[in-house]
């Protein structure tokens, strides 16, 4: 039948055309590059990559609902590259951030990471994205043997059984332990409630917070989860409000769950509210308003830090973007800087040398705190900080340096 | 439970659009989000909540009308999958544009409305809840009056029942369509700004939460039946909250709504009030 | 120098196009050929993906077995959907299928069998006789399966099955009067469409090597719906073309940075607005043009 022949012919033509278009287009495509000075995000596209630059690859969600975090990370990374270039670059050469949007889609992430390794020939890959996408590309960097640094994704699987993937941010287990420790040891709670976001972040932290709290003599009297899109926490909070002598409410959600704070206040909950890195964003104060005062959270970005790196970063980020920095931006900054430090100390762009140099980093002064060292599993050992909201600002409250807490399990 | 009232407003608007065009207007959620942002912008500029509400409604009416005129009108009369695909595309477009224009971060919506709680024995109700309930109830009443007591409302009901017949007896279908879109979109915009105030924040993809739940409500209430939509919205809102506190989350809230729907349709395919959902086969 | 087309980035894109196309062609069978709405195809892809992931990671099943079982499980799911759907009219059906998608995703999220919030990782690439398929060879596998699926779809269209579908799509009541068992064929339409989705799911799982519940949400179903509508309901070539466009266009416009998604959506809206039947749908400009070429070719042959 003619229509069948047409169909088959059309499909064959389509496949050939697709292959030709992709391949041929590919050869002529101008690569999107970051401008060397990173003021605000610009849309300029260089037609050819400046010769002799060192390329650092970066991917993050820049469209879709996760774009807020994606942009935070991108700003942090661009700032790092700009700082590096202002100081003369790396090994005498300018640095370029080759970045792509992954749309928070595993397939897109796979495509862009493949592209940046093979075509753009980046020396290091930085993930400014979430767990799902980072996990999807991990096998690719393992196969191509290019180091990848994950800025802030918390899932243990990201670094587990991998040789080329590193993590500069906090890991789910350590952060969870820190939250439990904060509740029982820092805020002296005997009874603790845990309410967590039902995504890998929340689940990992909750499990570990519970373990740690109980290990330190506390009693977890409430333990439940909510959906990430939740806006009304009263069903849980009413039950929590009814618990007598509750010392702490560990709330493992994000700044966009700020309603939980306002609703908790409205319901008269007096227990200390303790959050984690999800709360680490100026949006928290913007959204919760005055109710945020008194809320504490565990993170690695200490706004009151005496570290010059941190303070310069905070001022710089605000100056360049107009928004106050958050943990995501700081982590991305550190990921790029860690890569740069490793390249410098290896004095080479050989991937294995960079990887070994990364593994051997000690006392790395990052914007988001100090990385004492990496474990053999390539996770960062770093002290954390408890920040508290006072006068609508994030202030230092306490530090967490106990090695048992801050060392990621191997 | 208060959220049920918002579902009601949204569902009424959706039902009205469905009634005249037989389109599942997912872009309605985009209109809703835009209303919230327009209202917020004006509130930040003037501090006047009523003006903000008015602008929210005006903005959503404009966008809703534009969608009807330039997206739906040209492609009617074919497979309904085409307007559905376009509707989803428009919703994503509006959400993404909101992100580009206003930024991707959620924005706080703090009004000067004092937050007080009124207690009646065991029951407490906050001033915000009062605001939402009063606003939705009055708009529902207004729309009910419009639809049931005016000539254009009569025309609207005629078209919803049988558009060919209505046209045959001289009803100007185009005017009716415009009317339904305007009223429906106004409801969406109102819903949007109310939600923004109630939860003290807006975000570019806030429409995502109501887009699909809205569909559940119009099915529960029976397609095209405004009264059904109202009741459906309330029932959904109440049962969600009740079940979450009673049973806990054995499934996330969204799917819970759909699960209820699927079970309902298995046993009562016409929804609670509506026309037959089954084929006569 | 290796030909550019074999480099990994284009291969990755081709693999993605291939797997999406399998799912889309299945969906096209259900919606385009038999006229049954299915807005939850992603759920069946998910069923296939998780089935294969569990079988290969927990039970070390060989790939081919896993592929077939994935398709089968999805088909069973599709049959159940068919059972539910026979009594429902179009709009109710549409919403019900959306609901099935949401419910399926939630089940994947909440139950540890599917890895819960964490998903399932370390999914192995298939190996045949010690040779592990990845990159170009994996893409080759995908296209072999795709070709078989296309052949299957073509065969279905020409067979009595296809004729029955067409009858149901055009006029259900008339079909009934011709003693066509409408219920049975509706169920078959859903089953086949879902089965294709399951196969695609298995191939996607082994491509990504890590799957999680959020990979199979309603947005994915919408993407597939867009592909089928864009290409033209009922047209297999159209569906293939639609897949290529939907995957490649956003890649090609990457230099547009943050405006990428907006431009892509605008392009879709414009295309659908001006060619609502789909690019290769009946009576579309493109299909009429292709048809005229074919006619001219035949005429030239006839002249000899």
């Amino acid at each position: 039948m003619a229509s069948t022949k047409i169909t088959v012919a059309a499909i064959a033509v389509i496949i050939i055309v697709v292959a030709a278009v992709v391949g041929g287009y590919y050869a002529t495509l101008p690569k999107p590059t970051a401008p060397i000075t990173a003021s605000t995000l610009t849309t300029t596209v260089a037609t050819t990559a400046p010769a002799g630059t060192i390329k650092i690859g970066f991917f993050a969600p820049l469209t879709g609902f996760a774009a807020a975090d994606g942009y935070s990370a991108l700003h942090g990374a661009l700032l790092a590259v700009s700082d590096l270039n202002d100081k003369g670059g790396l090994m005498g050469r300018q640095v370029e951030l080759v970045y792509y949007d992954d749309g928070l889609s595993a397939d897109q992430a796979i495509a862009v990471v493949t592209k940046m390794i093979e075509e753009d020939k980046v020396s290091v890959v930085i993930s400014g994205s979430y767990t799902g996408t980072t996990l999807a590309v991990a096998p690719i960097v393992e196969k191509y043997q290019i180091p990848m640094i994950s800025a802030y994704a918390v899932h243990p699987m990201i670094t587990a059984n991998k040789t080329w993937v590193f993590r500069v941010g906090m890991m789910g287990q350590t952060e969870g332990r820190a939250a439990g420790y904060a509740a029982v040891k820092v805020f002296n709670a005997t009874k603790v409630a845990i309410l967590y976001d039902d995504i890998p972040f929340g689940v990992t932290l909750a499990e570990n917070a519970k373990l740690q709290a109980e290990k330190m003599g506390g009693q977890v009297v409430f333990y439940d989860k909510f959906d990430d899109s939740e806006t009304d926490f009263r069903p849980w909070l009413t039950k929590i409000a009814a618990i007598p002598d509750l010392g702490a409410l560990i709330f493992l959600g994000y700044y966009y769950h700020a309603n939980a704070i306002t609703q908790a206040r409205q319901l008269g909950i007096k227990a200390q509210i303790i959050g984690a890195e999800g709360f680490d964003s100026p949006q928290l104060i913007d959204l919760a308003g005055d109710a945020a005062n008194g809320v504490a959270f565990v993170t690695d970005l200490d706004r009151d830090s005496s570290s010059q790196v941190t303070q310069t970063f905070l001022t710089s980020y605000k100056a360049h973007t107009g928004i106050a920095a958050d943990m995501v931006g700081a982590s991305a900054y550190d990921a790029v800087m860690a890569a740069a430090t490793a390249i410098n100390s290896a004095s080479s762009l050989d991937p294995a040398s960079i990887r070994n140099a990364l593994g051997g980093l000690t006392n790395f002064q990052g914007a988001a705190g100090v990385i004492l060292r990496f474990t053999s599993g390539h996770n960062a050992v770093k002290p954390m900080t408890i920040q508290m909201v006072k006068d609508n600002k994030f202030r230092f409250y306490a530090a967490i340096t106990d090695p048992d807490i801050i060392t990621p399990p191997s | 439970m208060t959220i049920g009232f918002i579902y009601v407003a949204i569902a009424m608007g959706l039902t009205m659009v469905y009634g005249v065009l037989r389109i599942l207007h997912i872009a309605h959620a985009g209109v809703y989000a835009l209303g919230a942002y327009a209202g917020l912008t004006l509130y930040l500029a003037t501090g006047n909540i009523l003006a903000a509400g008015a602008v929210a409604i005006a903005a959503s009416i404009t966008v809703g009308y534009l969608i009807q005129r330039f997206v739906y009108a040209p492609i009617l009369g074919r497979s309904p999958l085409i307007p559905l695909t376009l509707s989803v595309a428009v919703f994503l477009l509006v959400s993404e544009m909101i992100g580009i224009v206003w930024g991707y971060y959620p924005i706080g919506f703090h009004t000067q409305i004092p937050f007080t709680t009124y207690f009646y024995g065991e029951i407490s109700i906050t001033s915000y809840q009062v605001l939402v309930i009063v606003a939705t109830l009055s708009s529902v009443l207004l729309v009910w009056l419009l639809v049931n007591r005016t000539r254009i409302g009569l025309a609207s009901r005629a078209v919803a029942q049988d558009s060919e017949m209505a046209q045959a007896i001289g009803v100007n279908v185009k005017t009716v369509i415009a009317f339904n879109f305007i009223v429906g979109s106004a409801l969406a915009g109102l819903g949007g700004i109310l939600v923004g105030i109630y939860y003290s924040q807006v975000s570019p993809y806030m429409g995502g939460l109501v887009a699909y739940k809205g569909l559940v409500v119009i099915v529960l209430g029976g397609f095209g039946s405004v009264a059904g939509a109202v009741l459906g919205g309330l029932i959904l809102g109440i049962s969600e909250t009740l079940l979450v506190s009673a049973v806990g989350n054995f499934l996330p809230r969204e799917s819970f709504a759909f699960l209820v729907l699927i079970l309902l349709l298995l046993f009562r395919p016409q929804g609670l009030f509506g026309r037959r959902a089954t084929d006569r086969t | 120098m290796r030909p550019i087309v074999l480099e990994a980035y284009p291969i990755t894109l081709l693999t993605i196009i291939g797997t999406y196309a399998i799912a889309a062609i299945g969906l096209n069978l259900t919606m385009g050929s038999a006229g049954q709405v299915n807005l939850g195809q992603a759920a069946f892809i998910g069923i296939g993906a998780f089935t294969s992931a569990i079988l290969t990671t927990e039970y070390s099943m060989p790939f081919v077995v896993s592929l077939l079982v994935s398709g089968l499980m999805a088909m069973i799911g599709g049959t159940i959907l068919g059972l539910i759907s026979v009594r429902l009219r179009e709009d109710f059906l549409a919403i019900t299928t959306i609901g099935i998608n949401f419910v399926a995703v939630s089940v994947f999220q909440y139950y540890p069998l599917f890895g819960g919030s964490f998903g399932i990782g370390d999914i192995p690439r298939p190996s045949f006789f010690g040779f592990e398929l990845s990159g170009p060879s994996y893409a080759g596998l995908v296209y072999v399966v795709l070709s078989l699926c296309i052949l299957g779809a073509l065969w279905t269209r020409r067979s009595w099955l296809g004729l029955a579908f067409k009858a149901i799509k055009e006029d259900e009541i008339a079909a009934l009067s011709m003693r066509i068992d409408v219920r049975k064929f509706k169920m078959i339409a859903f089953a086949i469409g879902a089965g294709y989705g399951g196969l695609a799911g298995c191939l996607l799982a082994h491509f990504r090597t890590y799957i999680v519940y959020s990979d199979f949400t309603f947005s994915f179903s919408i993407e597939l719906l867009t592909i089928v509508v864009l290409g033209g309901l009922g047209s297999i070539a159209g569906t293939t073309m639609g897949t290529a466009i939907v995957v490649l266009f956003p890649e090609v416009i990457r230099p547009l940075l943050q405006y990428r998604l907006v431009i892509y959506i605008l392009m879709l809206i414009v295309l659908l607005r001006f060619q609502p039947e789909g690019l290769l749908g009946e009576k579309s400009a493109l299909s009429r043009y292709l048809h005229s070429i074919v006619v001219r070719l035949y005429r030239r042959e006839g002249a000899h």
Side-chain angles (χ1 to χ4, degrees):
Chain A
M1 252 200 321
S3 78
T4 310
K5 278 193 206 162
I6 295 184
T7 303
V8 172
I11 292 178
V13 168
I14 288 168
I15 292 185
I16 293 173
V17 168
V18 160
V21 164
V22 169
Y25 176 82
Y26 205 70
T28 56
L29 179 66
K31 325 266 182 270
T33 62
I36 303 296
T37 50
S39 39
T40 40
L41 192 60
T42 69
T43 54
T44 57
V45 174
T47 45
T48 40
T53 53
I54 294 183
K55 300 200 191 134
I56 296 184
F58 177 87
F59 66 96
L62 299 175
T63 49
F65 71 91
D69 280 335
Y71 273 104
S72 270
L74 180 62
H75 288 312
L78 285 172
L79 196 56
V81 168
S82 156
D83 283 352
L84 282 171
N85 286 323
D86 285 345
K87 296 197 183 101
L90 274 181
M91 302 196 305
R93 294 152 70 174
Q94 290 283 283
V95 182
E96 191 189 312
L97 191 76
V98 178
Y99 62 90
Y100 293 103
D101 168 29
D102 68 11
L104 208 62
S105 149
D107 294 329
Q108 277 193 54
I110 292 174
V112 297
V113 169
T114 314
K115 184 177 183 186
M116 65 173 72
I117 293 179
E118 271 227 339
E119 316 296 342
D120 301 303
K121 309 240 186 295
V122 299
S123 309
V124 179
V125 174
I126 310 272
S127 164
S129 191
Y130 291 9
T131 296
T133 35
T134 311
L135 272 173
V137 304
I140 301 179
V141 301
E142 292 285 307
K143 171 174 141 192
Y144 280 98
Q145 304 192 327
I146 301 271
M148 172 161 84
I149 303 180
S150 167
Y152 62 92
V154 296
H155 199 313
M157 256 164 76
I158 289 172
T159 40
N161 300 324
K162 311 267 186 328
T163 356
W164 295 86
V165 184
F166 289 81
R167 183 200 318 256
V168 294
M170 293 170 286
M171 207 178 155
Q173 279 103 313
T174 45
E175 212 179 322
R177 285 189 219 145
Y181 170 90
V184 177
K185 272 279 179 297
V186 178
F187 292 104
N188 300 315
T190 30
K191 289 197 198 161
V192 178
I194 300 181
L195 185 56
Y196 64 97
D197 188 350
D198 191 19
I199 56 176
F201 161 76
V203 174
T204 330
L205 264 74
E207 279 168 4
N208 286 280
K210 179 167 193 277
L211 283 170
Q212 188 68 31
E214 283 168 352
K215 188 167 151 189
M216 301 198 122
Q219 199 194 351
V220 176
V221 293
F222 182 94
Y223 189 84
D224 205 358
K225 60 188 174 184
F226 60 89
D227 196 71
D228 188 63
S229 60
E230 190 60 76
T231 40
D232 189 347
F233 300 89
R234 279 178 279 238
W236 296 273
L237 292 173
T238 335
K239 292 190 199 156
I240 292 174
I243 302 175
D245 304 319
L246 184 69
L249 164 59
I250 300 181
F251 183 84
L252 298 165
Y254 281 82
Y255 57 87
Y256 49 83
H257 298 129
N259 288 317
I261 299 176
T262 20
Q263 288 161 5
R265 300 284 189 234
Q266 287 161 11
L267 287 167
I269 293 180
K270 299 275 185 297
Q272 172 66 46
I273 298 180
I274 303 173
E277 64 178 57
F279 272 4
D280 188 322
S281 162
Q283 301 298 98
L284 182 75
I285 301 178
D286 186 39
L287 295 174
D290 290 327
N293 284 312
V295 170
F297 57 92
V298 172
T299 184
D300 51 12
L301 178 61
D302 177 11
R303 273 63 173 189
D304 284 331
S305 168
S306 53
S307 152
Q308 210 189 18
V309 179
T310 308
Q311 292 304 333
T312 318
F313 166 77
L314 288 170
T315 333
S316 210
Y317 189 99
K318 179 87 192 263
H320 275 117
T321 64
I323 320 170
D326 58 12
M327 180 274 310
V328 168
S331 305
Y333 183 91
D334 285 350
V336 174
M337 284 307 195
T341 314
I343 291 176
N344 260 335
S345 91
S347 294
S348 145
L349 288 180
D350 167 52
S353 311
I354 300 178
R355 182 202 57 191
N356 294 337
L358 266 175
L361 267 185
T362 47
N363 285 319
F364 170 79
Q365 303 287 328
V370 179
I371 297 181
L372 295 171
R373 61 181 173 85
F374 285 104
T375 60
S376 55
H378 294 166
N379 291 307
V381 181
K382 57 194 313 193
M384 288 174 266
T385 169
I386 301 178
Q387 302 270 289
M388 183 176 286
V389 184
K390 289 185 196 161
D391 301 318
N392 293 351
K393 284 204 194 7
F394 293 142
R395 307 306 305 264
F396 171 85
Y397 187 84
I400 302 180
T401 50
D402 183 345
D404 285 333
I405 309 270
I406 66 173
T407 310
S410 30
Chain B
M1 199 217 82
T2 321
I3 199 69
F5 286 91
I6 310 265
Y7 290 156
V8 165
I10 313 260
M12 276 179 76
L14 265 180
T15 309
M16 293 188 75
V17 170
Y18 183 80
V20 286
L21 284 186
R22 298 282 182 269
I23 293 177
L24 294 173
H25 179 42
I26 302 221
H28 199 57
V31 170
Y32 153 93
L34 191 69
Y37 269 83
L40 172 64
T41 309
L42 199 80
Y43 185 75
L44 290 175
T46 65
N48 183 332
I49 197 73
L50 287 174
V55 164
I57 292 177
S60 19
I61 287 177
T62 316
V63 173
Y65 178 74
L66 287 173
I67 293 175
Q68 186 269 316
R69 178 94 165 61
F70 291 106
V71 177
Y72 293 152
I75 46 107
L76 289 175
R78 289 170 246 248
S79 160
L81 287 171
I82 298 165
L84 178 62
T85 312
L86 276 170
S87 196
V88 176
V90 169
F91 164 59
L92 292 173
L93 183 70
V94 172
S95 303
E96 195 63 25
M97 297 235 57
I98 290 178
I100 289 179
V101 171
W102 276 277
Y104 292 102
Y105 286 99
I107 303 180
F109 198 148
H110 304 290
T111 55
Q112 308 293 4
I113 299 173
F115 184 89
T116 44
T117 316
Y118 308 101
F119 292 93
Y120 296 99
E122 283 273 304
I123 306 177
S124 67
I125 187 165
T126 68
S127 48
Y128 277 59
Q129 285 172 317
V130 169
L131 172 68
V132 168
I133 295 175
V134 166
T136 29
L137 277 180
S138 23
S139 51
V140 164
L141 193 63
L142 191 65
V143 171
W144 190 86
L145 283 173
L146 268 174
V147 168
N148 286 305
R149 294 271 183 273
T150 63
R151 277 190 54 180
I152 183 126
L154 178 62
S156 169
R157 279 181 288 141
V159 171
Q161 201 164 42
D162 189 337
S163 73
E164 277 173 19
M165 184 64 99
Q167 201 163 29
I169 58 168
V171 168
N172 185 340
V173 177
K174 278 201 182 158
T175 316
V176 167
I177 292 177
F179 169 75
N180 276 38
F181 257 90
I182 289 173
V183 174
S185 304
L187 284 169
L190 180 68
I193 193 174
L194 284 175
V195 164
I197 295 174
Y198 188 64
Y199 287 127
S200 308
Q201 72 180 72
V202 294
S203 63
Y205 279 89
M206 61 191 281
L209 298 173
V210 292
Y212 308 116
K213 283 230 203 119
L215 293 179
V216 174
V217 173
I218 54 173
V219 174
L220 278 183
F223 286 94
S225 158
V226 174
V230 172
L231 211 63
L234 286 173
I235 291 178
L236 189 62
I238 295 175
S239 54
E240 259 185 23
T241 319
L242 278 182
L243 246 104
V244 162
S245 10
V247 176
N249 289 338
F250 67 92
L251 273 186
R253 287 238 288 234
E254 235 119 59
S255 2
F256 174 71
F258 277 111
L259 196 62
V260 165
L261 176 70
I262 294 174
L263 290 171
L264 175 72
L265 285 179
L266 278 175
F267 298 109
R268 201 187 153 88
Q270 64 268 47
L272 290 172
F273 289 96
R275 312 194 306 270
R276 258 194 304 254
T278 56
D279 304 304
R280 274 157 240 180
T281 48
Chain C
M1 196 184 98
R2 278 183 307 161
I4 255 176
V5 176
L6 281 185
E7 276 172 28
Y9 172 59
I11 294 284
T12 307
L13 292 180
L14 282 172
T15 312
I16 295 173
I17 292 175
T19 45
Y20 284 23
I22 294 173
I25 287 175
L27 187 61
N28 185 40
L29 259 169
T30 315
M31 294 206 305
S33 302
Q36 301 303 304
V37 176
N38 180 5
L39 297 181
Q41 180 74 327
F44 302 105
I45 299 177
I47 292 176
F50 278 103
T51 304
S52 187
I54 295 170
L55 287 178
T56 50
T57 53
E58 292 286 315
Y59 301 101
S60 305
M61 285 219 162
F63 179 77
V64 178
V65 172
S66 183
L67 177 69
L68 292 171
V69 175
S70 305
L72 192 64
M73 292 300 292
M75 258 179 91
I76 295 176
T79 314
I80 297 177
L81 171 59
L83 272 167
I84 300 177
S85 80
V86 282
R87 297 184 3 142
L88 295 178
R89 212 191 57 212
E90 189 151 18
D91 298 316
F92 285 82
L93 181 59
I95 298 184
T96 306
T97 52
I98 299 179
I100 301 251
N101 202 160
F102 274 87
V103 171
V105 168
S106 307
V107 168
F108 296 148
Q109 181 183 2
Y110 269 50
Y111 294 94
L113 174 66
F114 305 103
S117 308
F118 290 106
I120 300 182
D122 291 327
I123 301 174
R125 284 272 161 81
S127 304
F128 294 108
F129 311 111
F131 175 71
E132 190 191 78
L133 295 181
S134 74
S137 41
Y138 191 78
L141 170 69
V142 168
Y143 277 86
V144 164
V145 177
L146 174 64
S147 312
L148 291 171
C149 289
I150 292 178
L151 286 172
L154 280 170
W155 178 87
T156 308
R157 201 159 72 175
R158 297 174 55 175
S159 72
W160 47 269
L161 198 56
L163 286 172
F165 284 161
K166 194 158 181 225
I168 295 173
K169 177 182 175 185
E170 307 267 319
D171 189 332
E172 234 177 89
I173 297 179
L176 252 188
S177 71
M178 296 197 292
R179 307 228 215 101
I180 292 179
D181 186 349
V182 171
R183 284 190 186 200
K184 179 173 103 177
F185 283 106
K186 275 190 184 178
M187 271 171 49
I188 295 179
F190 275 108
I192 299 181
Y196 273 49
L199 292 175
C202 167
L203 290 167
L204 265 179
H206 292 269
F207 167 68
R208 291 182 188 157
T209 71
Y210 166 72
I211 57 171
V212 71
Y213 69 93
S214 52
D215 286 337
F216 306 104
T217 58
F218 179 58
S219 331
F220 194 13
S221 292
I222 287 292
E223 217 175 329
L224 293 166
L225 172 72
T226 307
I227 289 173
V228 173
V229 170
L230 185 67
L233 280 166
S235 160
I236 298 173
T239 305
T240 319
M241 189 161 125
T243 316
I245 294 177
V246 164
V247 174
L248 287 181
F249 191 79
E251 287 292 318
V252 157
I253 57 172
R254 280 191 180 276
L256 293 176
L257 299 171
Q258 67 261 49
Y259 303 109
R260 193 167 71 107
L261 193 58
V262 167
I263 299 290
Y264 166 63
I265 298 176
L266 277 171
M267 189 267 315
L268 281 176
I269 293 179
V270 165
L271 272 177
L272 277 176
R273 159 86 175 70
F274 289 103
Q275 195 78 110
E277 301 294 345
L279 292 168
L280 279 177
E282 288 177 32
K283 302 189 201 121
S284 77
L286 190 56
S287 72
R288 262 183 285 154
Y289 177 68
L290 287 174
H291 191 75
S292 70
I293 295 181
V294 169
V295 164
R296 241 177 285 151
L297 282 173
Y298 270 123
R299 246 189 244 141
R300 223 177 284 149
E301 280 179 25
H304 286 331

